[in-house]
Amino acid sequence: MTRRRPLLIVVILVVLAAGLGSVPTIAQEPPQSCNDPNKQVTLYANEKGPRGRRLGYGRKPHKPRIPGPTIHMTEGDCVQVNLVNDSKEKAGLHFHGVDYTVLSDGTPHNKGCVGPGKSRTYVVSAHRPGARPDGTIDPGSAGYWHYHDHCNGTPHGTDGIRKGLFGGLIVRRAGDPRPDRRPFVVVFNGRTINGRRAPRTPIFKANIGERIEFAVIGHGNLMHTFHLHGHRWADTRNGQLSGVDDMSAVIDNKTLGPADSFGFSVIAGEHVGEGAWMYHCHVQGHSDAGMAGLLVVRGPDGKMSASTKAAVRRWKRIEGGGHH
Ligand SMILES: [Cu+2]
């Protein structure tokens, strides 16, 4: 025993030194306010549609959108989101993927709901990846996330989500490729895309060669599969491979359950050219019910070719022919 004691002391000293020298990344609680006034977002919740049966978040009062405005963050950011509830119903904000205290959880039991005519601030932050003192990896916050109501109808926001209270949240890592356009946000909810059925679903447009980005979110009670024609991406955090020998699967179809989300960026028309490329849910009964839209790849000058225009017209006519 006495012979082993010096070794034991050395081991203890090494462990202590390692502990003192490392930066604990997990012990910190997320902040409850952000100092940067530029990192403030205000969202307004309002009824939407002629009968006001839908609800949406918007950047301006009485201008709700479904999905709501996409919130952008970079790892290391803190964002203060002010929710002004201009609707006649209860609403709130609950975020996926990022850091927040229970005060910003947006749930009824944490008193995170906002009554009609009231407002409230939520604080969320995104951290960079790092190593924990024990050597395991603390993943960063980067990802294709989303936010939604957790208050309307039930304590789980079931009515709020059904009516349209949701939006995308994109957290980037420094060095991630940036798209040339605003991200295309696709929310599969019930048998709709962004609350609509073809041919009134979004028609996204880009010029050939541009980097375009999709953020895809599932909601409701159904399982979906997102498929994009003519383009494929890596099944990784942002759709990119780390090198030519990266063995990650390359896919053009991905399963999406409720509250799942993923995203990727691709080069519009790469290897396939201009045209009207469909994106849709590949559950056949869902695409037949109207869960389909278009990615229109225009020429490098931003002009749609005659054949692309004709294809878009045909698509609208065919999809407008009634759903099953
Ligand atoms: Cu589906």
Side-chain angles (χ1 to χ4, degrees), residues 42-46 57-64 84 86:
T42 300
L43 296 182
Y44 298 85
N46 273 116
Y57 299 114
R59 277 236 198 271
K60 293 182 182 147
H62 310 294
K63 298 264 187 217
V84 180
D86 279 342

Side-chain angles (χ1 to χ4, degrees), residues 57-296:
Y57 299 114
R59 277 236 198 271
K60 293 182 182 147
H62 310 294
K63 298 264 187 217
R65 292 163 40 187
I66 298 175
T70 306
I71 297 177
H72 293 269
M73 296 176 77
T74 300
E75 284 177 340
D77 281 353
C78 171
V79 174
Q80 210 159 299
V81 187
N82 312 303
L83 174 64
V84 180
N85 184 2
D86 279 342
S87 81
K88 297 182 185 68
E89 302 176 43
K90 206 162 30 171
L93 278 176
H94 170 72
F95 298 85
H96 281 232
V98 286
D99 304 327
Y100 47 81
T101 68
V102 286
L103 298 175
S104 294
D105 184 38
T107 49
H109 75 282
N110 278 325
K111 298 187 167 181
C113 298
V114 184
K118 299 269 172 32
S119 66
R120 179 190 178 87
T121 297
Y122 303 83
V123 177
V124 296
S125 53
H127 64 264
R128 299 180 186 88
R132 300 189 184 97
D134 70 355
T136 60
I137 299 302
D138 176 17
S141 302
Y144 290 87
W145 304 107
H146 58 99
Y147 62 89
H148 63 86
D149 168 67
H150 219 300
C151 298
N152 191 293
T154 78
H156 316 114
T158 301
D159 283 359
I161 289 171
R162 187 173 48 75
K163 291 175 177 178
L165 288 178
F166 46 73
L169 167 61
I170 299 178
V171 183
R172 298 186 195 286
R173 180 160 300 165
D176 277 353
R178 299 266 171 166
D180 293 317
R181 298 182 169 269
R182 270 195 265 181
F184 304 142
V185 181
V186 174
V187 183
F188 285 180
N189 187 21
R191 285 180 178 79
T192 73
I193 296 177
N194 297 2
R196 296 169 172 274
R197 291 171 193 242
R200 286 178 297 281
T201 41
I203 297 180
F204 301 119
K205 291 173 185 155
N207 303 349
I208 191 161
E210 286 180 333
R211 180 171 289 280
I212 54 169
E213 183 178 45
F214 280 84
V216 189
I217 301 159
H219 270 308
N221 298 309
L222 304 172
M223 295 295 297
H224 304 285
T225 57
F226 174 88
H227 173 53
L228 173 61
H229 287 214
H231 299 75
R232 61 227 74 71
W233 63 93
D235 196 9
T236 59
R237 174 175 64 78
N238 60 2
Q240 311 306 311
L241 293 175
S242 58
V244 288
D245 295 323
D246 186 334
M247 296 292 280
S248 303
V250 175
I251 59 174
D252 69 1
N253 195 76
K254 193 169 167 72
T255 308
L256 194 72
D260 277 348
S261 55
F262 65 89
F264 58 89
S265 64
V266 292
I267 305 299
E270 187 181 41
H271 302 300
V272 295
E274 297 175 37
W277 299 104
M278 200 188 278
Y279 68 90
H280 59 92
C281 178
H282 222 302
V283 175
Q284 294 303 125
H286 294 180
S287 42
D288 288 349
M291 292 188 72
L294 284 185
L295 165 65
V296 172

